[in-house]
Amino acid sequence: MAKQKPFKLLIMTNFMFISGLVGKMLPTDYVGFTFFVGCMAMMAASAFFFLSLSQFDKKWRTSVLVSGLITFIAAVHYFYMRDYWASFGESPTFFRYVDWVLTVPLMCLEFYLILKVAGAKQSLLWKMIIYSVIMLVTGYIGEVIAPDNAALWGFISGVAYFLIVYEIWLGEAAKLAASAGGEVQKAHKILCWFVLVGWSIYPLGYMMGTSGWYNGFIPAGNIDVAYNIADAINKIGFGLVIYSLAVKSSKD
């Protein structure tokens, strides 16, 4: 019994220390609320993807593993972003871009992994990763480092985004999906819609957070709530599409 007291005291001390690090969140703080819900949702999705790995064939395990990594990385960043928001009341732009620069290339990797059955080459993978890194790095430069030239950097970022859209809808990736057919083509098409519609919130948020010619029809404002909801839908949705494909393909 005497040995249990120091152990219990250690747990209580650590809990109080962690609690002290977490800022207070008001009931009307919808940004903080969506940060918290996003963190929990993506952590739950990670556990789901990781724990389901053993039920799939070898060729699909990597895809499902990557889905879990995407949501896990996002969950960790969302924990820090939520606390940053609660402590300073500022948009955690730096943490958000770090999250994106790790998870968006992994989402591009998912296209390559599901299209390997149709003969996708590594050149396709590197092409999409390069486009995604250019999109994110130039976006960060325009939003944080050189906001006076936000329109120029945003244009470069937008071009890289549309190159990704072109590649998956009309380019090499689209042709590989068509040749694969069946469930692979269906999953590819759903992922394409995620990129075209779901990812469109990011350039819109960029324009709302910076100044340029577009301010006449896109007003400035805090778009963190939309970012948080979109992130959860896009990342978890990506993973669920891959999971569904792996389940159906493993039954064949």
Side-chain angles (χ1 to χ4, degrees), residues 118-161:
K121 298 179 181 178
Q122 288 190 4
S123 58
L124 171 65
L125 170 63
W126 288 113
K127 190 191 308 183
M128 292 187 63
I129 287 178
I130 289 171
Y131 290 158
S132 67
V133 171
I134 291 173
M135 175 181 71
L136 295 166
V137 171
T138 54
Y140 183 77
I141 293 173
E143 193 166 353
V144 179
I145 299 176
D148 292 340
N149 294 313
L152 172 62
W153 290 108
F155 173 77
I156 298 172
S157 180
V159 169
Y161 165 67

Side-chain angles (χ1 to χ4, degrees), residues 94-125:
F94 172 77
F95 289 109
R96 197 178 289 284
Y97 271 94
V98 173
D99 172 29
W100 288 343
V101 85
L102 294 172
T103 56
V104 172
L106 287 176
M107 294 168 86
C108 291
L109 172 61
E110 293 284 39
F111 281 98
Y112 167 74
L113 290 174
I114 68 171
L115 293 175
K116 281 181 71 176
V117 297
K121 298 179 181 178
Q122 288 190 4
S123 58
L124 171 65
L125 170 63

